[in-house]
Amino acid sequence: MNSQEATRLRAELLNVAQNWRPDDKPTQPTDIFFPPAHVRALALDRPLVIGMRGAGKSFWSEVLTNESLLPALSKVVKGFEKLRFVGSIRWDQAALSTRLPDRIHLEELQGSLEPRVLWLALVLNELRPLCEARGVVIGMPNPTSDGGWTEALRWAGLNRDALTRSLEQLNSALSQSSEVALVVFDALDRMQGQLAHSVDYLRGLLQFLLDARQLKGLRFKVFLREDMTNMPNVLSFPDASKLVNEAVHLKWTREDIYALHWHKLAQGSPGFQKLLSDTFGPPQLQSGDGYWHEVLTQSSPDAVKLTELLKLLAPPYMGSSPTKGHVYTWWYKHLADGKDRVSPRTFAASLREALQASQRPNSVSVLMPTGIQNGVRSASDERVEELKEDYFWVGTALAAFNDRSTPISVKEIYGVWNNNGVDETPTPRLISEQCSAQNVFVPWDEGDRLTSNSQKLRDTLVELGILILRDDDTRLDMPDIYRLGYRIRKRGGVSPRR
């Protein structure tokens, strides 16, 4: 590839990357990419799906509730040909709508309406059109009437058995005709102003899922953030472990991540399509339904071929020799958190900046190592901003790493947390006070008197993938996806932006 060809292809790929986000609402089959773990998550007999932020929960929720995309799902996931109705209970669609009770209703109900009854009422209201079509009577007032959700939920609290009978009748009608109805739940972290206020409702929803496991005509799909199942008391009910053990986790392997992004770039870049076809042969399909190449869409992407493809776009190494790192493994590794996870959102942010920063005169590579490094920095900045939304206290904890280089002794960090902290207050106590002020849960078990607060803070950060324990748990390291965004140095590592 000469410099003119590289410039032309880079411009095409940058245009695609800047106009696509993994979170974009899917509208056509070419928007859907099926990693193996996600096919399992879509199965109708798997009601609970758990994923980190950016893993694809809302994306799959959109796919499942888009009737025009169900034929594409039916080709990949068993049982979807039996679907006759798909409803959704999503709090990202509840604003300025009467489809769901608002936060004021939920706050008023707290403690007066059994959470499982709330979900039973919400589900039957969502299934109301199907019930009417199948002759199943729902006695609960329609919340779109004058009484609204206040009257509907008051009635539900007094008539739980009637609601249960209606659900059983609908399930029976569907089962007899070998049909299925699906209700999708998403954006549950937006039910109330603070996630901590939703514990009773989340526990009630999981109990409802457990109760509904034996239903054949009615299926449910709940998308949860991974931290929601770790909240105190959410799983404090009999047999909760059965539900959690059967849950599917939305995971992305390194090869899944690369294949997804190259597939997306190919949809809008004739030059990239030609590169793929010239290197690996013609695609499986190239038409109005998009460009589908087996190298990118096979159920288990081939790391060797994906590495070969990246070498056509970038030098093989991050420097002059293999000791500087192979680009294929280096890029993913430096975007991964402490649990070796990379979300599509993170890689997409890195790819956009890498293409932008690789625009060099006379370069014969589409992507340059310095551009990829800038891409990692940019992705880290975005990930840290997301982290601040979910865990505001992390910045307080990581202040101990300021003016220090990682890896660093656990004892040294404990010393800062315990003796100095921020504003002369020990860091664990300060975080506890901040959480109390914002009326959210302290992120560790305060009832544990056998473990020091500093160790509990350390273990929490490790569990979140923000810190990594090394050298027999004596030193703390930080993955670049957080370290660079927090402007923390690392000996021999990528330098943060100033």
Side-chain angles (χ1 to χ4, degrees):
M1 187 182 304
N2 61 42
S3 61
Q4 289 182 329
E5 291 170 333
T7 298
R8 188 161 51 247
L9 180 55
R10 187 188 307 112
E12 281 187 8
L13 299 182
L14 181 58
N15 180 62
V16 178
Q18 289 179 332
N19 288 283
W20 172 73
R21 298 291 187 277
D23 303 327
D24 287 348
K25 189 172 183 177
T27 58
Q28 54 191 352
T30 52
D31 295 332
I32 307 176
F33 183 85
F34 292 99
H38 296 220
V39 174
R40 292 193 295 274
L42 297 172
L44 292 173
D45 61 351
R46 295 298 187 101
L48 183 58
V49 180
I50 299 172
M52 65 183 289
R53 183 163 181 165
K57 299 182 297 298
S58 294
F59 177 87
W60 289 120
S61 175
E62 291 282 0
V63 170
L64 288 169
T65 53
N66 186 328
E67 187 176 353
S68 68
L69 297 177
L70 292 181
L73 288 177
S74 298
K75 295 177 182 178
V76 180
V77 188
K78 294 180 180 179
F80 272 74
E81 69 280 355
K82 297 180 180 180
L83 273 182
R84 295 296 176 268
F85 180 91
V86 180
S88 65
I89 296 175
R90 298 176 50 182
W91 259 268
D92 56 346
Q93 299 176 343
L96 303 178
S97 169
T98 58
R99 282 193 61 205
L100 294 171
D102 59 23
R103 291 175 180 174
I104 295 175
H105 283 110
L106 293 174
E107 289 171 5
E108 291 174 347
L109 288 168
Q110 200 113 30
S112 63
L113 181 67
E114 213 257 301
R116 273 187 285 189
V117 178
L118 169 69
W119 293 110
L120 184 58
L122 296 180
V123 165
L124 275 170
N125 187 66
E126 185 64 19
L127 293 169
R128 192 181 290 270
L130 185 60
C131 287
E132 293 173 352
R134 300 303 171 102
V136 175
V137 176
I138 301 178
M140 182 177 71
N142 194 321
T144 59
S145 63
D146 291 342
W149 277 106
T150 299
E151 181 60 26
L153 293 175
R154 186 193 68 79
W155 188 95
L158 298 172
N159 296 275
R160 173 177 179 163
D161 290 345
L163 289 176
T164 302
R165 283 194 297 271
S166 296
L167 194 73
E168 291 173 345
Q169 290 169 11
L170 179 59
N171 175 67
S172 178
L174 291 167
S175 298
Q176 289 174 11
S177 57
S178 298
E179 296 175 306
V180 175
L182 173 69
V183 179
V184 177
F185 302 77
D186 192 23
L188 295 164
D189 52 319
R190 302 190 192 182
M191 279 185 71
Q192 296 192 276
Q194 297 288 354
L195 187 56
H197 299 168
S198 304
V199 168
D200 290 342
Y201 291 130
L202 291 174
R203 184 174 59 251
L205 175 57
L206 296 181
Q207 288 176 299
F208 174 81
L209 284 190
L210 196 61
D211 294 342
R213 291 173 76 199
Q214 79 279 8
L215 302 178
K216 301 300 182 184
L218 293 171
R219 297 293 187 180
F220 305 97
K221 185 72 66 179
V222 175
F223 291 96
L224 280 187
R225 264 177 29 193
E226 59 185 358
D227 58 328
M228 296 172 80
T229 57
N230 296 327
M231 292 166 59
N233 300 321
V234 167
L235 298 177
S236 60
F237 59 91
D239 294 329
S241 60
K242 291 182 180 179
L243 198 62
V244 174
N245 291 340
E246 293 176 0
V248 181
H249 292 258
L250 290 178
K251 296 180 179 179
W252 293 84
T253 67
R254 181 182 63 191
E255 282 61 52
D256 290 337
I257 287 289
Y258 276 114
L260 165 68
H261 288 84
W262 300 156
H263 174 70
K264 288 298 180 183
L265 292 179
Q267 303 312 308
S269 170
F272 195 48
Q273 292 177 10
K274 184 177 185 302
L275 187 67
L276 277 162
S277 299
D278 289 349
T279 308
F280 302 107
Q284 294 168 286
L285 180 67
Q286 186 172 11
S287 65
D289 292 326
Y291 180 92
W292 298 82
H293 201 290
E294 185 179 16
V295 168
L296 307 179
T297 59
Q298 58 187 326
S299 58
S300 297
D302 187 330
V304 173
K305 291 181 178 178
L306 291 172
T307 300
E308 183 180 351
L309 180 56
L310 182 54
K311 286 180 179 179
L312 297 174
L313 301 175
Y317 312 123
M318 289 299 293
S320 58
S321 69
T323 59
K324 298 299 183 180
H326 292 259
V327 171
Y328 184 83
T329 52
W330 189 98
W331 198 351
Y332 182 92
K333 176 184 176 182
H334 286 258
L335 290 174
D337 70 1
K339 294 186 171 183
D340 197 32
R341 303 174 301 185
V342 176
S343 73
R345 186 184 298 167
T346 293
F347 193 91
S350 174
L351 177 61
R352 286 192 299 273
E353 179 61 26
L355 287 165
Q356 181 75 46
S358 294
Q359 299 182 91
R360 301 288 179 85
N362 304 318
S363 171
V364 295
S365 294
V366 173
L367 289 162
M368 299 294 293
T370 53
I372 292 172
Q373 285 189 348
N374 279 334
V376 172
R377 293 186 182 99
S378 182
S380 180
D381 287 343
E382 290 196 19
R383 184 68 189 99
V384 164
E385 288 304 310
E386 291 177 354
L387 194 68
K388 291 176 181 177
E389 295 177 17
D390 296 335
Y391 308 104
F392 67 89
W393 52 267
V394 168
T396 301
L398 297 186
F401 290 81
N402 292 344
D403 300 321
R404 292 174 171 85
S405 296
T406 60
I408 189 170
S409 162
V410 170
K411 288 184 178 180
E412 183 174 347
I413 292 300
Y414 280 6
V416 178
W417 283 345
N418 292 331
N419 300 325
N420 301 319
V422 179
D423 297 329
E424 303 303 319
T425 302
T427 300
R429 186 195 305 169
L430 181 61
I431 291 174
S432 180
E433 292 172 355
Q434 290 173 340
C435 290
S436 297
Q438 297 203 27
N439 198 21
V440 300
F441 288 124
V442 175
W444 55 78
D445 182 4
E446 291 193 292
D448 178 5
R449 304 299 181 188
L450 300 178
T451 307
S452 71
N453 285 335
S454 286
Q455 183 175 334
K456 286 187 280 190
L457 174 55
R458 180 203 73 180
D459 291 345
T460 300
L461 292 167
V462 170
E463 178 61 28
L464 290 172
I466 298 169
L467 292 180
I468 303 170
L469 281 167
R470 300 200 187 282
D471 302 330
D472 296 324
D473 297 351
T474 62
R475 294 165 71 79
L476 284 169
D477 206 351
M478 192 180 304
D480 281 359
I481 192 60
Y482 296 117
R483 180 183 67 81
L484 295 171
Y486 279 107
R487 306 297 190 267
I488 294 168
R489 301 189 305 271
K490 180 181 179 70
R491 287 181 286 274
V494 178
S495 59
R497 286 173 174 157
R498 294 182 179 179

